[in-house]
Amino acid sequence: LSDEMRHSARKKVDLKTKPLGALGTIEELAVQLSTIQQTLDPAVPCRRMFVFAGDHGIVEEGVSAFPAKVTVQMVDNFLDGGAAINSFCRQYGIELSVVDMGVNGDFAAHPLLIDKKVAYGTENFALGDAMTRKQALCAIENGARVFLEKNQQSPCQLVGMGEMGIGNTTSASAIICAATRLTPEQVVGRGTGVDDRGLERKREVIEKALDLHRPSGDNGLELLCKMGGYELAGICGATLAAAASGCCVVLDGVISTAAGLVACLICPAVGPYLIAGHKSIEIGQRAALELMGLEPVVDLGFRLGEGTGAAVTMNLVDLACRMMREMASFEEAGVSTGNDHG
Amino acid sequence: LSDEMRHSARKKVDLKTKPLGALGTIEELAVQLSTIQQTLDPAVPCRRMFVFAGDHGIVEEGVSAFPAKVTVQMVDNFLDGGAAINSFCRQYGIELSVVDMGVNGDFAAHPLLIDKKVAYGTENFALGDAMTRKQALCAIENGARVFLEKNQQSPCQLVGMGEMGIGNTTSASAIICAATRLTPEQVVGRGTGVDDRGLERKREVIEKALDLHRPSGDNGLELLCKMGGYELAGICGATLAAAASGCCVVLDGVISTAAGLVACLICPAVGPYLIAGHKSIEIGQRAALELMGLEPVVDLGFRLGEGTGAAVTMNLVDLACRMMREMASFEEAGVSTGNDHG
């Protein structure tokens, strides 16, 4: 991406009627979107949210506070419009799709549902590989197709990456441990709400899996095969396709972040297209974001996933673009600048 | 406000299809709005932002990075639609009004402008009282009328309190020092951008003013007379009127917060109607919020005022109400609850 546009965008922001830097993060988002879109008048009229869903064999190890069948039940809830992400997308004019990447169940056709199922859930990665290399490549490709097929219908400028999958914080945490070289102790938190014993269990399971797989940590495809999930692979593929199409990608919590990190490992050039939507309470997320050089935009104490944090941030990106297009400069408004005591 | 409704609202949130507490601040806002509106289906279809403007005699002491005439120029910018708050209000469907409480200049009639001018700016409170008791009472009353007159046209459920007034962080900081019993060193920051010398100057000026006035600290009206501003008095009056009308009030940065604190000193019963919109970089704001028992909802690094932080938070309040009305419960959606390994 051109540094020249970044400088021009920074200059345009600095000449607007406000003290230098006074709109904080909104200014940074405006500059990033200008740089991505190569225009001083960025806009995100078409915004999409994909909720990638998949099941996880690792739940056999007792790592989740919720039973595995909740993945299927929550997909039904998304399709019925009753989940948090449905409300959030309605609030922000974001087009929502739910992608079955690897749910352990079947769904009737539905306007919100995109069927890209690779398998009925991953294998238990405490005992062996989560998926074959062929399955991982298929899932990445399916994720890319999800973005590209929608984008062909009407191009979008901003895409949020949500997910649903009971057990997927364990997969995400294992990937982050491998990629950051941190220990499960340093990385693993309570997910959507396991207790002390559950937390201990989760850390042991990941420790054991890391011992078993000894992943190299900088090979994204290997990480997905050994310890990944189909929804993570889907996010990875969609992120690669979106960035290649010049579309800005907003990540969500720790799972979405881990999948974004895998995309960065596979293709570091996606970095400038990424925004970290929400600060996770999962401690591993910070380490993953640091590796990508990203700072989360908001911290509202969410620990839900689904894309909820990304949705809030997508609205702030929209606000930033509007600010960039609409706000007057000191000259246009006839306002005196700072330290010009005339 | 009824505790019974608070408990019922908490229970409704807890039964929705998400882990307990997983929507963080959004859940707290939903419970607060339910309590204020005494309904389990809160809504904020009519949202208003008032930007109260006034000039400050204290600018003679060299406390601001911007020349005093910028207050007039920025009011013109608001009326022309070119300021940050104009973009923010358009983004969020918030009806914007600009209130001349005490600007040192005259304006032609304009649909966005409400003329409630009490004087052409305050007196220099380093040398004497900022305003007379009569002027302070008039300004509070005018602020209340601003809210009530609009509310009579169409009742609103959510109001943001913005401000514009070169020099007003000095007034707000002095009020916070007096109310919190903290020193200017502890309270006073850089406003919209004074340098090291300017910061030192600002602290000295406030120190001197506190020595001169020796305000009691718990008398809101006295604080306004001695060291206040017309826009702060306006916010105070509008806050009192809004809370009395059952309307939720969103404060903004340090100036709006100081004015909200004065309203709380005058009538502590307004407390449950208040939301702290944005965390200010001004260190005094935290002390003022602690005194009111409030936590800021967002921190996007803003240091602009105008109501920009309040506007972002008003949208999150809207989102919270929508979540409360729309999201399905575990029972409605047929989703298994946590730790129910069936």
Side-chain angles (χ1 to χ4, degrees):
Chain A
L1 287 172
S2 140
D3 260 359
E4 206 174 311
M5 182 55 71
R6 185 181 307 275
H7 291 307
S8 303
R10 185 74 254 169
K11 194 168 171 189
K12 183 175 179 187
V13 170
D14 288 348
L15 292 174
K16 289 186 180 289
T17 46
K18 55 170 189 51
L20 271 182
L23 283 175
T25 308
I26 295 298
E27 298 190 11
E28 291 164 40
L29 293 174
V31 171
Q32 183 174 359
L33 269 285
S34 281
T35 310
I36 290 173
Q37 298 189 358
Q38 292 288 302
T39 170
L40 293 174
D41 294 305
V44 290
C46 178
R47 303 173 291 278
R48 294 208 167 98
M49 173 71 67
F50 295 111
V51 181
F52 293 90
D55 270 303
H56 291 261
I58 195 77
V59 294
E60 294 169 11
E61 305 292 322
V63 291
S64 177
F66 284 83
K69 66 183 177 192
V70 167
T71 307
V72 170
Q73 293 170 342
M74 281 302 295
V75 168
D76 281 328
N77 196 18
F78 298 142
L79 299 178
D80 289 345
I85 192 61
N86 299 97
S87 284
F88 281 48
C89 286
R90 283 191 288 264
Q91 175 78 4
Y92 295 125
I94 298 169
E95 186 193 316
L96 173 66
S97 303
V98 183
V99 188
D100 177 3
M101 290 297 303
V103 180
N104 187 18
D106 292 299
F107 303 98
H110 188 287
L112 294 191
L113 183 68
I114 300 174
D115 179 5
K116 296 285 179 189
K117 197 194 287 286
V118 178
Y120 287 86
T122 55
E123 301 298 315
N124 179 351
F125 72 82
L127 306 177
D129 284 358
M131 60 186 91
T132 64
R133 188 183 162 87
K134 195 176 156 194
Q135 286 172 320
L137 285 169
C138 176
I140 293 172
E141 190 181 320
N142 284 5
R145 279 184 199 281
V146 165
F147 177 85
L148 294 170
E149 283 161 10
K150 280 279 176 191
N151 209 49
Q152 195 146 28
Q153 286 167 28
S154 61
C156 86
Q157 300 79 32
L158 191 62
V159 63
M161 299 293 177
E163 45 59 46
M164 176 69 217
I166 297 301
N168 65 9
T169 52
T170 302
S171 172
S173 299
I175 286 172
I176 291 172
C177 283
T180 62
R181 276 82 174 170
L182 294 172
T183 66
E185 286 269 305
Q186 292 169 302
V187 162
V188 180
R190 290 178 193 276
T192 49
V194 293
D195 56 16
D196 283 350
R197 232 188 66 205
L199 180 61
E200 196 47 48
R201 179 83 195 121
K202 222 164 129 180
R203 287 176 174 164
E204 280 169 20
V205 166
I206 292 172
E207 190 95 46
K208 191 175 132 189
L210 289 168
D211 276 352
L212 172 69
H213 294 293
R214 305 201 170 275
S216 72
D218 50 9
N219 184 332
L221 183 62
E222 186 189 291
L223 289 174
L224 287 177
C225 293
K226 291 186 162 176
M227 310 184 299
Y230 292 114
E231 75 279 44
L232 279 91
I235 292 176
C236 170
T239 298
L240 294 168
S245 309
C247 174
C248 178
V249 175
V250 183
L251 302 174
D252 189 41
V254 68
I255 296 118
S256 182
T257 302
L261 178 57
V262 172
C264 282
L265 291 174
I266 291 174
C267 176
V270 304
Y273 295 87
L274 300 184
I275 291 171
H278 195 279
K279 183 174 172 179
S280 173
I281 57 150
E282 291 284 312
I283 40 197
Q285 193 214 24
R286 170 183 296 265
L289 289 177
E290 269 171 23
L291 217 58
M292 293 188 274
L294 299 177
E295 279 273 357
V297 172
V298 293
D299 179 5
L300 292 165
F302 292 177
R303 48 187 176 75
L304 182 56
E306 297 182 8
T308 48
V312 171
T313 289
M314 288 167 77
N315 175 257
L316 294 173
V317 172
D318 193 15
L319 176 70
C321 291
R322 179 188 283 272
M323 179 279 286
M324 194 65 163
R325 294 192 310 273
E326 295 183 358
M327 241 186 105
S329 68
F330 284 102
E331 200 181 334
E332 286 162 350
V335 173
S336 310
T337 55
N339 300 314
D340 158 29
H341 291 259
Chain B
L1 288 173
S2 140
D3 260 358
E4 207 174 311
M5 183 54 72
R6 185 181 306 276
H7 292 307
S8 304
R10 185 73 255 169
K11 194 169 170 189
K12 183 175 179 186
V13 170
D14 288 347
L15 292 174
K16 288 185 180 289
T17 45
K18 54 169 190 51
L20 271 181
L23 283 175
T25 308
I26 295 299
E27 298 190 11
E28 292 164 38
L29 293 174
V31 171
Q32 183 173 0
L33 268 284
S34 280
T35 311
I36 290 174
Q37 298 189 359
Q38 291 289 299
T39 169
L40 293 174
D41 294 305
V44 290
C46 178
R47 303 173 291 277
R48 295 207 166 99
M49 173 70 68
F50 296 111
V51 181
F52 293 90
D55 271 303
H56 291 262
I58 196 76
V59 293
E60 294 170 11
E61 306 291 324
V63 290
S64 177
F66 284 83
K69 66 184 177 192
V70 167
T71 308
V72 170
Q73 293 169 342
M74 281 302 295
V75 168
D76 282 327
N77 195 19
F78 297 141
L79 300 178
D80 289 345
I85 192 60
N86 299 97
S87 283
F88 281 48
C89 286
R90 282 191 289 264
Q91 175 78 5
Y92 294 127
I94 299 170
E95 185 193 316
L96 173 67
S97 302
V98 183
V99 188
D100 177 4
M101 290 296 305
V103 179
N104 187 18
D106 291 299
F107 302 97
H110 187 287
L112 294 192
L113 183 69
I114 301 174
D115 180 5
K116 295 285 179 188
K117 197 194 286 286
V118 179
Y120 288 85
T122 55
E123 301 297 315
N124 180 351
F125 74 80
L127 307 176
D129 284 359
M131 59 186 90
T132 65
R133 188 182 163 86
K134 197 175 154 193
Q135 286 173 320
L137 286 168
C138 177
I140 292 171
E141 190 180 321
N142 283 6
R145 278 184 199 282
V146 165
F147 177 85
L148 294 170
E149 284 161 11
K150 279 279 176 190
N151 210 48
Q152 195 145 30
Q153 287 168 28
S154 61
C156 86
Q157 300 80 32
L158 190 62
V159 63
M161 298 294 177
E163 45 60 44
M164 176 69 218
I166 297 300
N168 65 9
T169 52
T170 302
S171 171
S173 298
I175 285 172
I176 291 171
C177 283
T180 61
R181 277 81 174 172
L182 294 171
T183 65
E185 286 269 306
Q186 293 168 301
V187 163
V188 180
R190 290 177 193 276
T192 48
V194 294
D195 56 17
D196 284 350
R197 233 188 64 205
L199 180 62
E200 196 47 48
R201 180 84 194 120
K202 223 163 130 182
R203 287 175 174 165
E204 280 170 19
V205 165
I206 292 172
E207 190 95 46
K208 193 174 131 190
L210 289 168
D211 277 352
L212 172 70
H213 293 294
R214 304 202 168 275
S216 72
D218 50 11
N219 183 331
L221 183 61
E222 187 190 290
L223 288 174
L224 288 177
C225 293
K226 291 186 163 175
M227 310 185 299
Y230 292 113
E231 75 280 43
L232 279 91
I235 291 175
C236 170
T239 299
L240 294 168
S245 309
C247 175
C248 177
V249 175
V250 183
L251 302 174
D252 189 42
V254 68
I255 295 117
S256 182
T257 302
L261 179 57
V262 171
C264 282
L265 291 174
I266 291 173
C267 177
V270 304
Y273 295 87
L274 300 184
I275 290 171
H278 196 278
K279 184 174 173 180
S280 173
I281 58 150
E282 291 284 313
I283 39 197
Q285 193 214 24
R286 170 183 296 264
L289 289 177
E290 269 171 23
L291 217 58
M292 291 188 274
L294 298 177
E295 279 273 356
V297 172
V298 293
D299 179 6
L300 292 166
F302 292 177
R303 48 188 175 77
L304 182 56
E306 298 183 7
T308 47
V312 171
T313 289
M314 288 167 77
N315 175 257
L316 295 173
V317 172
D318 193 14
L319 177 70
C321 291
R322 179 189 284 269
M323 179 279 286
M324 194 64 163
R325 294 192 310 273
E326 295 183 358
M327 240 185 106
S329 68
F330 284 101
E331 200 181 335
E332 286 162 349
V335 173
S336 310
T337 55
N339 299 314
D340 157 29
H341 292 260

Coordinates of all heavy atoms in Angstrom, one line a residue, chain A residues 175-237:
Chain A
I175 N -3.0 -22.5 18.9 CA -2.4 -21.9 17.8 C -1.6 -20.7 18.2 O -0.4 -20.5 17.8 CB -3.5 -21.5 16.7 CG1 -4.0 -22.7 16.0 CG2 -2.9 -20.4 15.7 CD1 -5.2 -22.5 15.1
I176 N -2.1 -19.9 19.1 CA -1.4 -18.7 19.6 C -0.2 -19.1 20.4 O 0.9 -18.5 20.3 CB -2.4 -17.8 20.4 CG1 -3.4 -17.2 19.5 CG2 -1.6 -16.7 21.2 CD1 -4.5 -16.4 20.2
C177 N -0.3 -20.1 21.2 CA 0.9 -20.6 22.0 C 2.0 -21.0 21.0 O 3.2 -20.6 21.2 CB 0.6 -21.9 22.8 SG -0.3 -21.5 24.3
A178 N 1.6 -21.7 19.9 CA 2.6 -22.2 19.0 C 3.3 -21.0 18.2 O 4.5 -20.9 18.1 CB 2.0 -23.2 18.0
A179 N 2.4 -20.0 17.8 CA 2.9 -18.9 17.0 C 3.7 -17.9 17.8 O 4.6 -17.3 17.3 CB 1.7 -18.2 16.3
T180 N 3.3 -17.7 19.1 CA 4.0 -16.7 19.9 C 5.1 -17.3 20.8 O 5.9 -16.6 21.4 CB 3.0 -16.0 20.8 OG1 2.5 -17.0 21.7 CG2 1.9 -15.3 20.1
R181 N 5.2 -18.7 20.8 CA 6.2 -19.4 21.7 C 5.9 -19.1 23.2 O 6.8 -19.2 24.0 CB 7.6 -19.0 21.4 CG 8.2 -19.8 20.2 CD 7.9 -19.2 18.9 NE 8.6 -19.9 17.8 CZ 8.3 -19.7 16.5 NH1 7.3 -18.9 16.1 NH2 9.0 -20.3 15.6
L182 N 4.7 -18.7 23.5 CA 4.3 -18.5 24.9 C 3.7 -19.8 25.5 O 3.3 -20.7 24.7 CB 3.3 -17.4 25.1 CG 3.9 -16.0 24.8 CD1 2.7 -15.0 24.8 CD2 5.0 -15.6 25.7
T183 N 3.7 -20.0 26.8 CA 3.2 -21.2 27.4 C 1.7 -21.1 27.5 O 1.1 -20.0 27.6 CB 3.8 -21.4 28.8 OG1 3.3 -20.4 29.6 CG2 5.3 -21.4 28.8
P184 N 1.0 -22.3 27.7 CA -0.5 -22.2 27.9 C -0.8 -21.4 29.2 O -1.8 -20.7 29.2 CB -0.8 -23.7 28.1 CG 0.2 -24.4 27.3 CD 1.5 -23.6 27.4
E185 N 0.0 -21.5 30.2 CA -0.2 -20.6 31.4 C -0.3 -19.1 31.0 O -1.1 -18.4 31.6 CB 1.0 -20.7 32.3 CG 1.1 -22.0 33.1 CD 0.4 -21.9 34.4 OE1 0.8 -21.0 35.2 OE2 -0.4 -22.8 34.7
Q186 N 0.6 -18.7 30.1 CA 0.6 -17.3 29.7 C -0.6 -16.9 28.8 O -1.0 -15.8 28.8 CB 1.9 -17.0 29.0 CG 3.1 -17.1 30.0 CD 4.4 -17.0 29.2 OE1 4.7 -17.8 28.3 NE2 5.3 -16.0 29.5
V187 N -1.1 -17.9 28.0 CA -2.0 -17.6 26.9 C -3.4 -17.9 27.2 O -4.3 -17.2 26.8 CB -1.5 -18.3 25.7 CG1 -2.6 -18.4 24.6 CG2 -0.3 -17.7 25.1
V188 N -3.7 -19.0 28.0 CA -5.0 -19.5 28.0 C -5.9 -18.9 29.2 O -5.5 -18.9 30.3 CB -5.0 -21.0 28.2 CG1 -6.4 -21.6 28.3 CG2 -4.2 -21.7 27.1
G189 N -7.1 -18.4 28.8 CA -8.0 -17.9 29.8 C -9.3 -18.8 29.9 O -9.3 -19.9 29.5
R190 N -10.3 -18.2 30.3 CA -11.5 -18.9 30.7 C -12.5 -19.1 29.5 O -13.6 -19.6 29.8 CB -12.2 -18.3 31.9 CG -11.5 -18.4 33.2 CD -12.1 -17.7 34.3 NE -11.2 -17.6 35.4 CZ -11.0 -18.6 36.3 NH1 -11.6 -19.7 36.2 NH2 -10.1 -18.4 37.3
G191 N -12.2 -18.7 28.3 CA -13.2 -18.8 27.2 C -14.5 -18.1 27.6 O -14.5 -17.0 28.1
T192 N -15.6 -18.8 27.3 CA -16.9 -18.2 27.6 C -17.3 -18.4 29.0 O -18.4 -18.1 29.4 CB -17.9 -18.7 26.6 OG1 -17.8 -20.1 26.6 CG2 -17.8 -18.1 25.2
G193 N -16.4 -19.0 29.8 CA -16.7 -19.1 31.3 C -16.4 -20.4 32.0 O -17.2 -20.8 32.8
V194 N -15.3 -21.1 31.7 CA -15.0 -22.2 32.5 C -14.5 -21.8 33.9 O -14.1 -20.7 34.1 CB -13.9 -23.1 31.9 CG1 -14.4 -23.7 30.6 CG2 -12.6 -22.3 31.6
D195 N -14.7 -22.7 34.9 CA -14.3 -22.4 36.3 C -12.8 -22.7 36.5 O -12.1 -23.1 35.5 CB -15.2 -23.1 37.3 CG -15.1 -24.6 37.0 OD1 -14.2 -25.1 36.3 OD2 -16.1 -25.3 37.5
D196 N -12.3 -22.6 37.7 CA -10.9 -22.9 38.0 C -10.4 -24.3 37.5 O -9.4 -24.4 36.9 CB -10.6 -22.8 39.5 CG -10.6 -21.3 40.0 OD1 -10.6 -20.4 39.1 OD2 -10.5 -21.1 41.2
R197 N -11.2 -25.3 37.8 CA -10.8 -26.6 37.4 C -10.8 -26.7 35.9 O -9.9 -27.3 35.3 CB -11.8 -27.6 38.0 CG -11.1 -28.8 38.7 CD -12.1 -29.9 39.1 NE -12.7 -30.6 38.0 CZ -13.9 -31.2 38.0 NH1 -14.6 -31.2 39.1 NH2 -14.3 -31.8 36.9
G198 N -11.8 -26.1 35.2 CA -11.9 -26.1 33.8 C -10.7 -25.4 33.1 O -10.2 -25.8 32.1
L199 N -10.3 -24.3 33.8 CA -9.2 -23.5 33.3 C -7.9 -24.4 33.3 O -7.1 -24.5 32.3 CB -9.0 -22.3 34.1 CG -7.8 -21.4 33.7 CD1 -8.0 -20.8 32.3 CD2 -7.7 -20.2 34.6
E200 N -7.7 -25.1 34.4 CA -6.6 -26.0 34.6 C -6.6 -27.1 33.6 O -5.6 -27.4 32.9 CB -6.7 -26.6 36.1 CG -5.4 -27.2 36.6 CD -4.2 -26.3 36.3 OE1 -4.2 -25.1 36.6 OE2 -3.2 -26.9 35.8
R201 N -7.8 -27.6 33.4 CA -8.0 -28.7 32.4 C -7.6 -28.2 31.0 O -6.9 -28.9 30.3 CB -9.4 -29.1 32.5 CG -9.9 -30.2 31.5 CD -9.6 -31.6 32.1 NE -9.6 -32.6 31.0 CZ -8.6 -33.4 30.7 NH1 -7.5 -33.3 31.3 NH2 -8.8 -34.3 29.7
K202 N -8.1 -27.0 30.6 CA -7.8 -26.5 29.3 C -6.3 -26.3 29.1 O -5.8 -26.6 28.0 CB -8.5 -25.1 29.2 CG -9.2 -24.8 28.0 CD -10.2 -23.6 28.2 CE -10.0 -22.6 27.1 NZ -10.9 -21.4 27.3
R203 N -5.6 -25.8 30.1 CA -4.2 -25.6 30.0 C -3.4 -26.9 29.8 O -2.5 -27.1 29.0 CB -3.6 -24.8 31.2 CG -4.1 -23.4 31.2 CD -3.6 -22.6 32.4 NE -3.9 -21.2 32.3 CZ -4.0 -20.3 33.3 NH1 -3.7 -20.7 34.5 NH2 -4.2 -19.0 33.0
E204 N -3.8 -27.9 30.6 CA -3.2 -29.3 30.5 C -3.4 -29.9 29.1 O -2.5 -30.4 28.5 CB -3.8 -30.2 31.5 CG -3.3 -30.1 32.9 CD -4.2 -30.9 33.9 OE1 -4.9 -31.8 33.5 OE2 -4.1 -30.5 35.1
V205 N -4.6 -29.7 28.6 CA -5.0 -30.3 27.3 C -4.1 -29.7 26.2 O -3.5 -30.4 25.3 CB -6.5 -30.1 27.0 CG1 -6.8 -30.3 25.5 CG2 -7.3 -31.0 27.9
I206 N -3.9 -28.3 26.3 CA -3.1 -27.6 25.3 C -1.6 -28.0 25.4 O -0.9 -28.3 24.4 CB -3.3 -26.1 25.4 CG1 -4.8 -25.8 25.0 CG2 -2.3 -25.4 24.5 CD1 -5.2 -24.4 25.2
E207 N -1.2 -28.1 26.6 CA 0.2 -28.5 26.9 C 0.5 -29.9 26.3 O 1.5 -30.1 25.6 CB 0.4 -28.6 28.5 CG 1.8 -28.8 29.0 CD 2.4 -27.5 29.4 OE1 1.7 -26.7 30.1 OE2 3.5 -27.3 29.0
K208 N -0.4 -30.8 26.5 CA -0.3 -32.1 26.0 C -0.3 -32.1 24.4 O 0.5 -32.8 23.8 CB -1.5 -33.0 26.5 CG -1.5 -34.5 26.3 CD -2.7 -35.1 27.0 CE -3.3 -36.1 26.0 NZ -4.6 -36.7 26.5
A209 N -1.2 -31.3 23.9 CA -1.3 -31.2 22.4 C 0.0 -30.6 21.8 O 0.4 -31.1 20.8 CB -2.5 -30.4 22.0
L210 N 0.5 -29.6 22.5 CA 1.7 -29.0 22.0 C 2.9 -30.0 22.0 O 3.7 -30.1 21.1 CB 2.1 -27.7 22.8 CG 1.1 -26.5 22.5 CD1 1.4 -25.5 23.6 CD2 1.3 -26.0 21.1
D211 N 2.9 -30.8 23.1 CA 4.0 -31.9 23.2 C 3.8 -32.9 22.1 O 4.8 -33.4 21.5 CB 3.8 -32.6 24.6 CG 4.6 -31.8 25.6 OD1 5.3 -30.9 25.3 OD2 4.4 -32.2 26.8
L212 N 2.6 -33.2 21.8 CA 2.3 -34.2 20.8 C 2.7 -33.8 19.4 O 3.3 -34.4 18.6 CB 0.8 -34.6 20.8 CG 0.2 -35.5 19.7 CD1 0.8 -36.9 19.8 CD2 -1.3 -35.5 19.7
H213 N 2.2 -32.5 19.1 CA 2.4 -32.0 17.7 C 3.7 -31.3 17.4 O 4.1 -31.3 16.3 CB 1.2 -31.1 17.4 CG -0.1 -31.7 17.4 ND1 -0.5 -32.6 16.4 CD2 -1.2 -31.6 18.2 CE1 -1.8 -33.0 16.7 NE2 -2.2 -32.4 17.7
R214 N 4.3 -30.6 18.4 CA 5.5 -29.9 18.2 C 5.4 -29.1 16.9 O 6.3 -29.2 16.0 CB 6.7 -30.8 18.3 CG 6.8 -31.6 19.5 CD 8.2 -32.1 19.8 NE 8.3 -32.6 21.2 CZ 8.4 -31.9 22.3 NH1 8.6 -30.6 22.2 NH2 8.4 -32.4 23.5
P215 N 4.4 -28.2 16.8 CA 4.3 -27.4 15.5 C 5.4 -26.4 15.4 O 6.0 -25.9 16.4 CB 2.9 -26.7 15.7 CG 2.8 -26.6 17.2 CD 3.4 -27.8 17.8
S216 N 5.7 -26.0 14.2 CA 6.9 -25.1 13.9 C 6.5 -23.6 14.3 O 7.4 -22.9 14.7 CB 7.3 -25.1 12.5 OG 6.4 -24.5 11.7
G217 N 5.2 -23.3 14.3 CA 4.8 -22.0 14.8 C 4.8 -20.9 13.8 O 4.1 -19.9 14.0
D218 N 5.5 -21.0 12.7 CA 5.4 -20.0 11.6 C 4.8 -20.6 10.3 O 4.8 -19.9 9.3 CB 6.7 -19.3 11.4 CG 7.9 -20.3 11.2 OD1 7.6 -21.5 11.0 OD2 9.0 -19.9 11.2
N219 N 4.3 -21.8 10.4 CA 3.7 -22.4 9.2 C 2.1 -22.4 9.5 O 1.6 -23.3 10.2 CB 4.2 -23.8 9.1 CG 3.7 -24.5 7.8 OD1 2.6 -24.2 7.4 ND2 4.5 -25.4 7.2
G220 N 1.4 -21.5 8.9 CA 0.0 -21.3 9.2 C -0.8 -22.6 8.8 O -1.7 -23.0 9.6
L221 N -0.5 -23.2 7.7 CA -1.2 -24.3 7.2 C -1.0 -25.5 8.2 O -2.0 -26.2 8.6 CB -0.8 -24.7 5.8 CG -1.5 -25.9 5.2 CD1 -3.0 -25.6 5.0 CD2 -0.9 -26.3 3.8
E222 N 0.2 -25.7 8.7 CA 0.5 -26.8 9.6 C -0.3 -26.5 10.9 O -0.8 -27.5 11.5 CB 2.0 -26.8 9.9 CG 2.4 -28.0 10.7 CD 3.9 -27.9 11.2 OE1 4.8 -28.0 10.3 OE2 4.1 -27.7 12.4
L223 N -0.3 -25.3 11.4 CA -1.1 -25.0 12.6 C -2.6 -25.4 12.5 O -3.1 -25.9 13.4 CB -0.9 -23.5 13.0 CG 0.4 -23.1 13.5 CD1 0.5 -21.6 13.6 CD2 0.8 -23.8 14.8
L224 N -3.1 -25.0 11.3 CA -4.5 -25.4 11.1 C -4.7 -26.9 11.1 O -5.7 -27.4 11.7 CB -5.1 -24.8 9.8 CG -5.3 -23.3 9.8 CD1 -5.7 -22.8 8.4 CD2 -6.3 -22.9 10.8
C225 N -3.9 -27.6 10.4 CA -4.0 -29.1 10.3 C -3.9 -29.7 11.7 O -4.7 -30.5 12.1 CB -2.9 -29.7 9.4 SG -3.0 -29.2 7.7
K226 N -2.9 -29.3 12.4 CA -2.6 -30.0 13.7 C -3.6 -29.6 14.8 O -4.0 -30.5 15.6 CB -1.2 -29.6 14.1 CG -0.1 -30.3 13.2 CD 1.3 -30.1 13.7 CE 2.2 -31.2 13.0 NZ 3.6 -31.0 13.4
M227 N -4.0 -28.3 14.9 CA -4.7 -27.9 16.1 C -5.9 -26.9 15.7 O -6.5 -26.3 16.6 CB -3.8 -27.2 17.1 CG -2.5 -28.1 17.4 SD -1.5 -27.4 18.6 CE -1.0 -25.8 17.9
G228 N -6.2 -26.7 14.5 CA -7.1 -25.7 14.0 C -8.6 -26.2 14.1 O -8.9 -27.2 14.7
G229 N -9.4 -25.3 13.5 CA -10.8 -25.6 13.4 C -11.3 -25.2 12.0 O -10.6 -24.3 11.4
Y230 N -12.4 -25.7 11.5 CA -12.9 -25.4 10.2 C -13.3 -23.9 10.1 O -13.1 -23.2 9.1 CB -14.0 -26.3 9.7 CG -13.4 -27.7 9.5 CD1 -13.8 -28.8 10.3 CD2 -12.5 -27.9 8.5 CE1 -13.3 -30.0 10.1 CE2 -12.0 -29.2 8.3 CZ -12.4 -30.2 9.1 OH -11.9 -31.5 8.9
E231 N -13.9 -23.4 11.2 CA -14.3 -22.0 11.2 C -13.0 -21.1 11.2 O -13.0 -20.0 10.6 CB -15.3 -21.6 12.3 CG -14.7 -21.5 13.7 CD -14.5 -22.9 14.4 OE1 -14.0 -23.8 13.8 OE2 -14.8 -22.9 15.6
L232 N -12.0 -21.5 11.9 CA -10.7 -20.7 11.8 C -10.1 -20.7 10.4 O -9.7 -19.6 9.9 CB -9.7 -21.2 12.8 CG -9.9 -20.8 14.3 CD1 -10.8 -21.8 15.1 CD2 -8.6 -20.6 15.0
A233 N -10.1 -21.9 9.8 CA -9.6 -21.9 8.4 C -10.5 -21.1 7.5 O -10.0 -20.4 6.6 CB -9.6 -23.4 8.0
G234 N -11.8 -21.1 7.7 CA -12.7 -20.3 6.9 C -12.4 -18.8 7.0 O -12.3 -18.1 6.0
I235 N -12.2 -18.3 8.3 CA -11.8 -16.9 8.5 C -10.5 -16.6 7.8 O -10.3 -15.6 7.2 CB -11.7 -16.6 10.0 CG1 -13.1 -16.7 10.6 CG2 -11.1 -15.2 10.2 CD1 -13.1 -16.5 12.1
C236 N -9.5 -17.5 7.9 CA -8.2 -17.4 7.3 C -8.4 -17.2 5.8 O -7.9 -16.2 5.2 CB -7.4 -18.6 7.6 SG -5.8 -18.7 6.7
G237 N -9.2 -18.0 5.2 CA -9.4 -17.9 3.7 C -10.1 -16.7 3.3 O -9.7 -16.0 2.3

